[in-house]
Amino acid sequence: MSQVDIFSKHAAGSKGTERAPMPTQPPEERVKNFREVSLGYSPETARREASRCLQCRHRPCTKGCPVGIDIPGFVRLVAEGDFAGAAAVIRQDNTLPAVCGRVCPQEVQCESLCVLGRKGQPVAIGNLERFAADWERENREDAASKPVSVNGKKKGKVAVVGSGPAGLTAAAELNRLGYGVTIFEALHTPGGVLAYGIPEFRLPKDILAHEFKELERQGVELRTNVLIGSTLTVDDLFAQGFQAVFLGTGAGLPNLLGIPGEDLNGVYTANEFLTRVNLMKAYLYPQVDTPLYLGKRVVVIGGGNTAMDAARTAVRLGSEVMVVYRRSRENLPARREEVLHAEEEGVEFRFLASPIAIRGDEQGWVEAIQCVNMELGEPTENGRQGVKPIAGSEHWLPADSVIVAIGQGPNPIISRTTPGLETGLHGVLKVAPETFMTTREGVFAAGDIITGGATVIKAMGGGKKAAQAIDRYLRHKNSRLIGQSIGEV
Ligand code: FAD
Ligand code: SF4
Ligand code: SF4
């Protein structure tokens, strides 16, 4: 069928067509394993779903994508069966399509602006992006872009600190622009939250490994186990000949509840818990060295993606899990799909309740958590609905462990050890809006380190823009230096 045939046919019939559902592992099976829950579209389903797209000339969906992917362009190619072409279109703007297709909050980004969503269901843009990226990975080893250098020489050396979505995207873009790039990562495994936070059942780690292999194949150097601010400072990096430094160190420092009993055994921050399971493979203990005690009843505090990941991971480790969230269901910040999957897997939710104390047994292990009921109030300054405790509604819930998932902030190690770096509210780094340069010349930053906890695609969008700003800065600086040396001659 030609392209015209596909679109004239579906444009006439699309209003009545249903969005293709994403096949998943049945809940009763998936709670027993860590394999990916969503199974992906088949080529036939992907083509059928793609052919619902109306190919809107003004591309409203693209405006909802923080990296501006040509959505109608790639969706059209999927509908035509040109999957390699579709993946190539996506890769022009997105280095990690297989990741974003899985974890982007599409329902509030690209898909929220799809015209089909006005009266029915939007095109499943994220599922199609995932399909094209998976097809490319499984079918074409040499698919991604080739290394780019100027006249065979690199333009200069740039250090990228942190290998999460911001650092990885900045590194790929700087490499494409012709710079020699070294990534410095504190952990032994690259990927940031994609590696240590988001569990295998949402984002298989071989996908990440493939992306890093590709980046290294293109010439980017990766140095793990280097904590900048301790092993080396930012000043050491300049002394080693790096002409600019990009900081993509994220927001990995967990917020705490600040309530009595938070230091008891069996209280974990979600970061620690997820790192132990995802990175240190604690679920294989005693075959691995990382123990993890959860017990039968686990209470997770919070309502974001991190809380859902912690709750669903605890279910897979055999516990009964309750999520305690201080606002109502409608206010849950987690992706809708994550909440649905959590409920299917048996996670219980307790809305409008907030923890006020944790009680321990004689050995110092958690045995119960005290909560107070909350009521919704007026919207606050940041637009979210306010909440206040209801006097006299305090009550105890039995718990063998508690996982705290109430947000994260930036780790201050780099700002403390780098003269000239200024921080703003909650410790985020201050940057100039267009140039992403921090208050220290030659040091740039993007991702969660400048926004606080946000999303993968926003961190990637920031990393890409910062890389382009570094290129402008270095070209300007180097042309000034050349001008000066000609003047001196
Ligand atoms: P990070 O991903 O945090 O990466 C920072 C990297 O820098 C880390 O590897 C860290 O080890 C390294 N680093 C830190 N300090 C140093 C140092 N001093 N020296 C060297 N290296 C250093 N977003 C979504 O869009 N969808 C989701 O479904 C989603 N789920 C999430 C689930 C969890 C559990 C969490 C915690 C977050 C989730 N997010 C999600 C948010 C998203 O993952 C982040 O917004 C994103 O990863 C930020 O990217 P980043 O590159 O700025 O930082
Ligand atoms: Fe949508 Fe995210 Fe893909 Fe952009 S990267 S098109 S927001 S799923
Ligand atoms: Fe297709 Fe929806 Fe984008 Fe229109 S808005 S081009 S229907 S994906």
Side-chain angles (χ1 to χ4, degrees), residues 10 52-57 59-62 71-72 75 110 113-117 122-123 125:
H10 90 74
R52 293 175 65 227
C53 172
L54 300 175
Q55 293 292 298
C56 311
R57 201 175 303 152
R59 310 195 307 167
C61 45
T62 290
I71 294 170
V75 171
C110 52
L113 298 181
C114 173
V115 294
L116 286 185
V123 173
I125 301 166

Side-chain angles (χ1 to χ4, degrees), residues 195-472:
Y196 76 76
I198 301 181
E200 176 80 15
F201 56 82
R202 274 214 297 139
L203 179 63
K205 301 307 164 215
D206 60 348
I207 292 174
L208 260 190
H210 176 88
E211 295 299 342
F212 276 99
K213 208 170 101 197
E214 176 58 26
L215 207 59
E216 287 187 284
R217 196 179 69 81
Q218 289 180 33
V220 171
E221 191 192 349
L222 174 64
R223 290 182 56 191
T224 50
N225 295 314
V226 184
L227 178 66
I228 301 298
S230 172
T231 328
L232 290 171
T233 62
V234 167
D235 286 311
D236 292 335
L237 295 177
F238 282 116
Q240 288 184 5
F242 290 100
Q243 292 174 295
V245 175
F246 170 81
L247 301 176
T249 47
L253 194 67
N255 297 336
L256 300 176
L257 291 165
I259 60 174
E262 204 170 4
D263 54 353
L264 285 165
N265 293 325
V267 181
Y268 302 90
T269 64
N271 258 25
E272 180 195 354
F273 171 67
L274 290 169
T275 304
R276 277 177 182 241
V277 180
N278 292 330
L279 221 50
M280 315 305 287
K281 309 240 176 293
Y283 56 91
L284 296 176
Y285 184 81
Q287 286 107 291
V288 298
D289 289 339
T290 313
L292 182 73
Y293 170 80
L294 273 188
K296 188 156 175 265
R297 290 157 307 190
V298 175
V299 171
V300 177
I301 312 294
N305 286 324
T306 309
M308 295 310 119
D309 283 343
R312 297 177 64 201
T313 299
V315 164
R316 281 160 176 76
L317 294 171
S319 300
E320 291 165 10
V321 183
M322 177 185 282
V323 169
V324 171
Y325 179 54
R326 64 193 185 133
R327 293 189 167 84
S328 60
R329 174 184 284 273
E330 300 68 44
N331 288 293
L332 275 173
R335 289 187 62 201
R336 218 180 305 146
E337 188 188 45
E338 302 313 320
V339 178
L340 178 75
H341 283 170
E343 284 184 320
E344 284 174 356
E345 290 163 11
V347 173
E348 199 185 323
F349 283 79
R350 193 178 190 91
F351 295 107
L352 290 166
S354 187
I356 48 177
I358 305 171
R359 192 177 68 213
D361 62 16
E362 281 163 9
Q363 279 81 41
W365 286 90
V366 172
E367 66 173 15
I369 179 165
Q370 190 181 29
C371 294
V372 61
N373 291 340
M374 309 293 281
E375 61 185 346
L376 293 172
E378 294 301 311
T380 56
E381 276 167 16
N382 62 17
R384 300 196 68 191
Q385 206 156 11
V387 275
K388 54 179 188 212
I390 301 173
S393 67
E394 295 79 8
H395 53 279
W396 287 95
L397 301 170
D400 299 307
S401 47
V402 172
I403 303 175
V404 181
I406 55 166
Q408 288 108 237
N411 189 313
I413 188 163
I414 293 187
S415 51
R416 281 194 192 144
T417 54
T418 312
L421 272 191
E422 278 180 32
T423 53
L425 199 63
H426 304 306
V428 296
L429 285 184
K430 283 189 184 167
V431 295
E434 292 298 320
T435 66
F436 288 84
M437 204 196 287
T438 63
T439 47
R440 167 82 184 265
E441 197 193 324
V443 180
F444 297 75
D448 281 4
I449 181 77
I450 68 163
T451 56
T455 63
V456 170
I457 193 68
K458 282 191 181 143
M460 290 176 66
K464 186 170 180 179
K465 285 189 195 139
Q468 290 163 352
I470 292 173
D471 178 45
R472 288 194 298 276

